[in-house]
Amino acid sequence: MGVREPKCFTDTTILGATIAQPCDGTERTYFKNLTTNHNKSLVAIFNLSECDIVAMIETDDEVIERRLTPELLEDTIQVENLRRITVRCEGEKGLDCFGFISIQHTFCICCP
């Protein structure tokens, strides 16, 4: 019996997460990629609250911070090698933060 050649392929998944947390500055992770696979991701963040949503989008090379105010309801960004998305909500004490994160995540298994 010979050694089996690895099957290399790409695939795309659509992921979603509901943002629901107090507007108290606490950070919460909504997405974490624990693989080492190369990927490209289209990230859309929606603010449905009276608080500011501050999203930290971490890649292999940088952390990109995006602030969505109640006036800026949506932000979309495409990144390479997405590792983590963390959200911090800032606003009037006692308010709750609501929103949504949508990720179109295209990844490659065993690509050079």
Side-chain angles (χ1 to χ4, degrees):
M1 215 140 53
V3 175
R4 200 182 265 189
E5 288 292 318
K7 280 188 153 181
C8 298
F9 66 93
T10 61
D11 198 6
T12 299
T13 59
I14 307 284
L15 310 164
T18 300
I19 299 169
Q21 62 188 73
C23 296
D24 62 1
T26 301
E27 291 185 3
R28 179 171 174 204
T29 298
Y30 285 89
F31 174 82
K32 186 187 281 188
N33 180 2
L34 299 177
T35 73
T36 58
N37 300 326
H38 178 76
N39 67 78
K40 292 188 181 184
S41 298
L42 185 64
V43 179
I45 304 165
F46 303 89
N47 186 355
L48 305 174
S49 66
E50 296 180 27
C51 301
D52 286 5
I53 292 178
V54 181
M56 285 75 66
I57 302 164
E58 182 180 336
T59 70
D60 283 349
D61 300 321
E62 64 183 324
V63 177
I64 303 161
E65 189 172 293
R66 305 295 264 218
R67 179 178 292 271
L68 286 83
T69 65
E71 293 79 30
L72 176 63
L73 302 177
E74 178 184 347
D75 193 10
T76 303
I77 183 171
Q78 184 168 0
V79 297
E80 192 164 344
N81 293 324
L82 177 64
R83 294 295 161 222
R84 178 188 322 254
I85 298 175
T86 303
V87 168
R88 177 178 74 241
C89 293
E90 300 174 348
E92 189 177 316
K93 190 173 184 166
L95 290 178
D96 288 321
C97 182
F98 298 103
F100 189 76
I101 300 170
S102 174
I103 306 165
Q104 180 179 319
H105 189 69
T106 301
F107 56 93
C108 185
I109 303 294
C110 105
C111 296

